[in-house]
Amino acid sequence: MSKPVAPQLADMVERPLGASLPVRIRAWDGSEAGAADGPVVVIRHRRALRRLLWSPGELGLARAFVTGELEVEGDLADGLSRFWTLAKAHHLTGLRPSPREALAAAGLALRLGAVGPPPRPPSSEARLEGRLHTRRRDRAAIAHHYDLSNAFYSFLLDPQMAYSCGYWTQEESPSYGLVDAQRDKLDLICRKLALRPGMRLLDVGCGWASLLVHAARHYGVRATGVTLSAQQRAYGLARVETLGLTEQVEIRLQDYREIADEPFDAVASLEMGEHVGEHNYPEYAARLHRLLLPHGRLLLQQMSRGAAGVNNAPGGGPFMERYVAPDMHMRPLGATLGLLESAGLEAVDVQSLRELYVWTVRPWLDTLQQRRAEAVALIGEEQWRVWLLYLAGGLLAFAEGRMGVHQILMVRPDERGRSGLPRGRTSTLGRDPELSPRTDVVEPTR
């Protein structure tokens, strides 16, 4: 009689760790081993082990999860957190198996009938062609993520279709939630930019037009947005027409490098700078400077990675780079500020929203986990798994400080070095919504 599989797998993991598994394992033969409580990692097929033999570490695990060969029962974020805590405690993050450990794993896989040619990667894995950050490749990278399905993003996001970190001014309650936090984020940006009726606002990477619509409706600006996503533009245009804002809001399918109708009174770019690339960022910063009038303000909301420590891959790691945001590059905050200042912009204010991203992502993750059937009907089982892993991993990265996100307010000084800013900090940044809560009615879902 063959030995139960789960105890053998648990032993193979625990021996090099020198610690007990933080989760329970259930193998394809029904056997179990590991922790008595918490999430259960279900290995449904031998092929999951074969993926790990050919791609040890994060990529192999991600491919097994995305294909359904590996499953997690219970809260996925909890399971990932347990493994991450164990890895940190034993200084194992970012390490590959030693030759001895790899040989032992191969021997076990052979005994379990899991040895064979490399399995084909899941169909949802990005396959981009061409030189990094050409305009054609950037369009393909953006389409991979943002052209997934407008119906899916409507299902996942709030009615404003804001797909970036919210600004929570209160504890979550029945009367204050994600919809309110996203509205308060949009309003915070408009106040930091000191928008007034008749001003020209440019939103670089405008998404589904949430900022364009808010700024036009509540601040009376003439707003222009650019995006590389055809589906985002189509949704945004329909939304603008429905709200009767076609005279105030323009949305273009355009690369930021092609914008030529400067100058603008204010420019915003929300969580788009990560997609620009390391070598292209100086050009991006110079372009933003050129697009602004003297005394004009720039608001960037941008994610970052730490300068030192563990798991600081600029692209977010193999899973993010292959499945979610191919060609993305995040750098430490200080490096980004240096590039913006080198372009001639002056830093006015930097505000961290990192912990608020946990509050933002959690409702998205809960929606995916609690309404699985609806999500799968919209994007399919494999993409649902990609998004589940993406949101659970992102939530932990922000909670544990492995990723950050900041609002960076810059100004373009005039030729004499004057910023045009008022003297007081409060008048520069606008009043805090906690002191002056808005009572705007959120637009209904289209």
Side-chain angles (χ1 to χ4, degrees), residues 91-148:
H91 309 288
L92 296 170
T93 53
L95 298 181
R96 296 178 67 86
S98 68
R100 182 176 180 179
E101 291 164 355
L103 186 61
L108 177 59
L110 182 63
R111 294 193 298 274
L112 296 177
V115 173
R120 179 177 299 177
S123 60
S124 53
E125 194 164 300
R127 295 168 179 83
L128 304 185
E129 298 178 348
R131 188 164 51 86
L132 196 64
H133 292 297
T134 60
R135 298 184 189 191
R136 180 179 179 182
R137 180 168 173 133
D138 277 355
R139 285 194 297 271
I142 292 299
H144 175 79
H145 187 69
Y146 295 97
D147 282 349
L148 179 62

Side-chain angles (χ1 to χ4, degrees), residues 174-372:
S175 61
Y176 189 95
L178 180 59
V179 171
D180 306 286
Q182 293 291 15
R183 179 202 62 223
D184 286 346
K185 182 267 301 294
L186 297 173
D187 204 58
L188 178 67
I189 291 168
C190 291
R191 288 183 289 108
K192 284 184 176 181
L193 290 172
L195 297 183
R196 299 186 303 276
M199 292 177 69
R200 293 187 73 209
L201 167 69
L202 172 67
D203 186 356
V204 181
C206 64
W208 293 270
S210 59
L211 178 60
L212 300 175
V213 166
H214 188 90
R217 293 180 75 191
H218 302 297
Y219 287 83
V221 303
R222 291 176 293 132
T224 299
V226 298
T227 177
L228 293 180
S229 167
Q231 290 203 29
Q232 284 185 335
R233 179 175 185 265
Y235 185 100
L237 288 174
R239 182 181 184 185
V240 165
E241 184 176 1
T242 298
L243 294 171
L245 296 173
T246 53
E247 296 299 315
Q248 282 181 262
V249 178
E250 176 188 11
I251 304 174
R252 307 172 187 164
L253 193 65
Q254 187 177 41
D255 191 285
Y256 71 91
R257 290 163 284 197
E258 298 168 348
I259 304 171
D261 54 338
E262 67 265 14
F264 292 85
D265 298 287
V267 175
S269 190
L270 308 186
E271 298 181 23
M272 180 271 184
E274 304 88 340
H275 300 288
V276 170
E278 180 66 357
H279 298 297
N280 282 10
Y281 204 90
E283 179 185 354
Y284 172 67
R287 178 76 61 168
L288 296 177
H289 175 273
R290 188 161 61 252
L291 289 168
L292 274 171
L293 281 165
H295 302 176
R297 299 188 189 187
L298 165 69
L299 189 290
L300 292 175
Q301 185 166 306
Q302 189 166 311
M303 289 181 278
S304 63
R305 302 291 284 190
V310 296
N311 196 25
N312 287 320
F319 168 70
M320 286 289 292
E321 294 160 19
R322 299 291 187 97
Y323 289 90
V324 180
D327 297 347
M328 181 170 69
H329 187 101
M330 296 174 287
R331 69 186 64 77
L333 170 65
T336 294
L337 287 172
L339 292 169
L340 292 167
E341 289 177 331
S342 295
L345 295 159
E346 181 178 353
V348 176
D349 183 76
V350 176
Q351 181 177 3
S352 173
L353 304 181
R354 176 182 64 82
E355 291 177 292
L356 300 183
Y357 229 146
V358 179
W359 291 17
T360 304
V361 172
R362 186 78 244 189
W364 296 341
L365 179 59
D366 288 344
T367 295
L368 279 189
Q369 293 187 133
Q370 295 165 8
R371 300 170 63 185
R372 174 176 179 170

